[in-house]
Short mmCIF file of all heavy atoms in Angstrom, two decimals:
data_model
loop_
_atom_site.label_atom_id
_atom_site.label_comp_id
_atom_site.label_asym_id
_atom_site.label_seq_id
_atom_site.Cartn_x
_atom_site.Cartn_y
_atom_site.Cartn_z
N LEU A 156 -11.13 34.54 34.95
CA LEU A 156 -11.55 33.37 34.17
C LEU A 156 -11.20 33.57 32.70
O LEU A 156 -10.76 32.63 32.02
CB LEU A 156 -13.05 33.15 34.34
CG LEU A 156 -13.63 31.87 33.72
CD1 LEU A 156 -12.95 30.63 34.29
CD2 LEU A 156 -15.13 31.81 33.97
N HIS A 157 -11.37 34.79 32.22
CA HIS A 157 -11.02 35.09 30.84
C HIS A 157 -9.51 34.95 30.63
O HIS A 157 -9.05 34.40 29.62
CB HIS A 157 -11.46 36.51 30.46
CG HIS A 157 -11.08 36.91 29.07
ND1 HIS A 157 -9.97 37.69 28.81
CD2 HIS A 157 -11.65 36.63 27.87
CE1 HIS A 157 -9.87 37.88 27.51
NE2 HIS A 157 -10.88 37.25 26.92
N ALA A 158 -8.72 35.42 31.59
CA ALA A 158 -7.26 35.30 31.50
C ALA A 158 -6.85 33.82 31.46
O ALA A 158 -5.91 33.45 30.74
CB ALA A 158 -6.59 36.01 32.67
N LEU A 159 -7.54 32.99 32.22
CA LEU A 159 -7.27 31.55 32.19
C LEU A 159 -7.52 31.00 30.80
O LEU A 159 -6.74 30.17 30.29
CB LEU A 159 -8.15 30.83 33.22
CG LEU A 159 -8.06 29.30 33.23
CD1 LEU A 159 -6.64 28.86 33.58
CD2 LEU A 159 -9.06 28.72 34.23
N HIS A 160 -8.59 31.46 30.16
CA HIS A 160 -8.88 31.02 28.79
C HIS A 160 -7.80 31.50 27.82
O HIS A 160 -7.49 30.81 26.84
CB HIS A 160 -10.26 31.54 28.35
CG HIS A 160 -11.40 30.74 28.89
ND1 HIS A 160 -11.75 30.74 30.22
CD2 HIS A 160 -12.26 29.90 28.28
CE1 HIS A 160 -12.79 29.94 30.40
NE2 HIS A 160 -13.12 29.41 29.23
N ILE A 161 -7.24 32.68 28.08
CA ILE A 161 -6.14 33.17 27.25
C ILE A 161 -4.95 32.21 27.35
O ILE A 161 -4.34 31.83 26.33
CB ILE A 161 -5.69 34.58 27.70
CG1 ILE A 161 -6.77 35.62 27.37
CG2 ILE A 161 -4.36 34.97 27.05
CD1 ILE A 161 -6.74 36.14 25.96
N VAL A 162 -4.60 31.82 28.56
CA VAL A 162 -3.46 30.92 28.78
C VAL A 162 -3.71 29.57 28.09
O VAL A 162 -2.81 29.02 27.43
CB VAL A 162 -3.21 30.72 30.29
CG1 VAL A 162 -2.14 29.66 30.52
CG2 VAL A 162 -2.78 32.04 30.93
N ILE A 163 -4.93 29.04 28.25
CA ILE A 163 -5.27 27.77 27.60
C ILE A 163 -5.18 27.92 26.08
O ILE A 163 -4.66 27.04 25.38
CB ILE A 163 -6.68 27.31 28.01
CG1 ILE A 163 -6.69 26.96 29.51
CG2 ILE A 163 -7.13 26.12 27.18
CD1 ILE A 163 -8.08 26.70 30.06
N GLY A 164 -5.67 29.05 25.57
CA GLY A 164 -5.61 29.30 24.12
C GLY A 164 -4.17 29.38 23.63
O GLY A 164 -3.85 28.86 22.54
N MET A 165 -3.31 30.01 24.40
CA MET A 165 -1.89 30.10 24.02
C MET A 165 -1.26 28.71 23.96
O MET A 165 -0.50 28.40 23.04
CB MET A 165 -1.14 30.98 25.02
CG MET A 165 -1.51 32.45 24.96
SD MET A 165 -0.70 33.43 26.26
CE MET A 165 1.01 33.39 25.69
N ALA A 166 -1.59 27.87 24.94
CA ALA A 166 -1.06 26.50 24.95
C ALA A 166 -1.58 25.71 23.75
O ALA A 166 -0.83 24.96 23.10
CB ALA A 166 -1.44 25.80 26.25
N PHE A 167 -2.85 25.90 23.43
CA PHE A 167 -3.48 25.21 22.29
C PHE A 167 -2.81 25.63 20.99
O PHE A 167 -2.40 24.79 20.18
CB PHE A 167 -4.97 25.54 22.28
CG PHE A 167 -5.80 24.72 21.32
CD1 PHE A 167 -5.25 23.68 20.59
CD2 PHE A 167 -7.16 25.00 21.15
CE1 PHE A 167 -6.03 22.92 19.71
CE2 PHE A 167 -7.94 24.25 20.29
CZ PHE A 167 -7.37 23.22 19.56
N ILE A 168 -2.66 26.93 20.79
CA ILE A 168 -2.04 27.44 19.56
C ILE A 168 -0.58 27.00 19.48
O ILE A 168 -0.08 26.63 18.41
CB ILE A 168 -2.16 28.97 19.48
CG1 ILE A 168 -3.64 29.36 19.31
CG2 ILE A 168 -1.33 29.53 18.33
CD1 ILE A 168 -3.91 30.84 19.46
#
Side-chain angles (χ1 to χ4, degrees):
L156 187 58
H157 178 261
L159 175 62
H160 281 70
I161 291 277
V162 173
I163 294 171
M165 291 175 70
F167 191 4
I168 293 170

